[in-house]
Amino acid sequence: MKKQFSTAALCFCGAAMLSFAALNAADAPKAEVPPVQPAPAAPAKAEAAPADPILALPEVIAEGKGIKVTRENVREALMKMVPGGQLPPIPAEQMKQFAAGQARMIACEQAIEAEIQKAKFVPTDAEMKEFLVRAIKSQPGLEQSLIAQGKKVDDVVQEVLADSEEKKAIVLQIFIDKIIIGKEATEADAKKFYDENIDKVTIPADGEKTLRASHILIMVDAKATDADKEAAAKKAEEVLAKVKADPASFEKLAAEVSDCPSGKQSGGDLGPFEPERMVPEFSQAAAALKPGEISNVVKTQFGYHIIRRNAPQGAKVIPFAEVKERIVTMLNMKAKQEAFKTYVEKLEKDYEIKILLPLPQAPKK
């Protein structure tokens, strides 16, 4: 648990770790949908991946003033990423590209560690604990997962801090958080971004084939007896009668009696969907309705449905108030990453860091 937690926490919590990755990502080709590759004309000899691709690398991959990154440093970093610590066979050229990027990250970490030593920076136990607790609470579902395993947050924090390597990484993160201070975004900055990027906060209009519907489901198990099926059908007819008598009660009844989670979550609203996403009986019944119209009971493999066709939705701009906090967070993260990138580039210059393998090249624009 310790290793799984610390990796997740540091990757999420350190804007620096995200930025370390961004340093190499900036030099690497952008992620695109991979094109379909033509089949080779003949089964040519493929490049044989060496049994231990690390040994094909130079012994020293990066160096500088007080900086030295060896192939064994890269091996150690790679082994932490592969399941079970089992290094798969990797073609030599692919390994060189990975090793160059990884060596740059390790060299920068060594330079930052040297800066920590110069500054005689030693965070208190309270600061380190606060950092880790914040990391856990920031990870969606992580705290609940720990509780489900019978673990307490404080116990995990103590476990991580007892590992000297993990503690060293946390010190590095706290140091970076203290010195890399990007410009704090204001509400005005967020509004400017919002106004200049309306397309990014616009929900597109429904497509021509898109349907919107709400439903109330009386579920019937596949192994239900005839008596159970009859009882479910009868219940569905009773609910339908109530809905027909008072259409405005649809959401309330969905929340009370529907066996679909959408009942309690959204009054039965399924949102937009393409017909093929639903079983044919459901899609056909929904498509046959006019907006606002309510179906009779529709039987599918899941049970008995009462369906209301909802009106299609045109393009909708999300109100600024609903996205303001997310935009501010995004702008703050971007500012920190840019500040960190500038800081690392200065370190690379000050420490005369050289990567002795070619880094992946960015595509020409």
Side-chain angles (χ1 to χ4, degrees):
M1 181 62 219
K2 174 176 62 179
K3 292 295 181 188
Q4 292 173 346
F5 161 73
S6 57
T7 300
L10 292 176
C11 285
F12 176 88
C13 210
M17 287 302 177
L18 295 176
S19 297
F20 268 132
L23 283 175
N24 290 326
D27 296 324
K30 300 295 181 186
E32 302 279 355
V33 176
V36 177
Q37 298 295 330
K45 291 183 179 179
E47 179 190 2
D52 185 351
I54 299 289
L55 294 179
L57 299 172
E59 186 174 349
V60 176
I61 301 175
E63 60 186 7
K65 291 181 179 178
I67 304 296
K68 184 178 180 181
V69 181
T70 68
R71 63 190 178 199
E72 291 307 314
N73 294 141
V74 171
R75 183 197 296 279
E76 185 180 346
L78 179 57
M79 295 298 277
K80 290 178 181 177
M81 300 179 189
V82 295
Q86 183 64 42
L87 185 64
I90 301 172
E93 286 306 311
Q94 190 175 338
M95 173 54 74
K96 285 179 183 178
Q97 289 197 2
F98 169 81
Q102 196 67 29
R104 186 183 187 194
M105 291 173 60
I106 297 170
C108 290
E109 288 177 10
Q110 290 182 5
I112 295 171
E113 287 167 6
E115 292 295 298
I116 290 172
Q117 293 296 322
K118 286 182 189 177
K120 297 181 179 179
F121 176 77
V122 181
T124 65
D125 289 344
E127 285 178 308
M128 287 190 282
K129 180 177 179 180
E130 181 187 354
F131 176 91
L132 285 169
V133 169
R134 187 170 66 248
I136 293 173
K137 293 185 180 297
S138 297
Q139 287 278 5
L142 180 55
E143 188 173 7
Q144 291 75 12
S145 175
L146 293 174
I147 293 170
Q149 296 174 51
K151 296 178 179 288
K152 294 180 180 178
V153 171
D154 283 347
D155 293 339
V156 175
V157 168
Q158 293 305 320
E159 190 178 339
V160 172
L161 291 179
D163 185 303
S164 59
E165 286 300 312
E166 301 293 359
K167 192 171 182 178
K168 179 179 171 183
I170 291 166
V171 170
L172 181 144
Q173 286 286 289
I174 296 173
F175 178 75
I176 291 170
D177 285 349
K178 284 184 179 293
I179 64 170
I180 303 302
I181 302 173
K183 176 181 174 289
E184 287 293 320
T186 64
E187 183 172 330
D189 294 326
K191 186 65 167 66
K192 182 174 184 292
F193 178 90
Y194 177 89
D195 291 339
E196 293 175 353
N197 296 273
I198 287 295
D199 60 313
K200 291 182 173 64
V201 291
T202 299
I203 300 172
D206 290 346
E208 186 179 342
K209 295 182 180 180
T210 302
L211 296 174
R212 285 180 179 267
S214 297
H215 79 142
I216 297 171
L217 170 64
I218 307 303
M219 190 177 289
V220 178
D221 188 273
K223 298 179 181 179
T225 64
D226 289 343
D228 289 337
K229 293 177 182 177
E230 186 177 339
K234 182 180 179 182
K235 181 178 179 181
E237 291 291 349
E238 290 171 353
V239 173
L240 175 63
K242 293 179 182 179
V243 171
K244 295 281 190 180
D246 182 12
S249 68
F250 192 100
E251 285 81 4
K252 181 174 180 292
L253 284 167
E256 290 175 354
V257 304
S258 181
D259 292 319
C260 177
S262 66
K264 289 184 172 56
Q265 291 171 1
S266 56
D269 190 354
L270 297 171
F273 59 90
E274 301 305 310
E276 57 270 20
R277 278 186 51 204
M278 303 294 184
V279 291
E281 301 92 335
F282 188 98
S283 292
Q284 290 165 11
L289 300 170
K290 297 177 181 177
E293 191 176 359
I294 296 170
S295 72
N296 291 319
V297 173
V298 176
K299 185 177 183 300
T300 73
Q301 66 196 65
F302 301 106
Y304 300 93
H305 308 255
I306 299 162
I307 304 169
R308 184 185 69 195
R309 174 79 177 270
N310 296 332
Q313 182 174 286
K316 177 186 175 184
V317 177
I318 304 172
F320 175 65
E322 292 182 20
V323 293
K324 177 178 67 177
E325 289 186 8
R326 278 182 284 168
I327 293 175
V328 167
T329 299
M330 180 271 295
L331 292 176
N332 282 338
M333 177 64 75
K334 184 179 178 182
K336 275 196 170 188
Q337 288 183 340
E338 288 174 352
F340 178 77
K341 186 171 184 290
T342 300
Y343 173 70
V344 167
E345 287 171 350
K346 182 178 183 302
L347 286 181
E348 288 180 310
K349 184 177 179 181
D350 291 346
Y351 284 81
E352 299 179 4
I353 294 173
K354 294 179 181 178
I355 312 302
L356 305 180
L357 286 173
L359 286 161
Q361 295 300 307
K364 294 181 180 178
K365 295 183 179 179

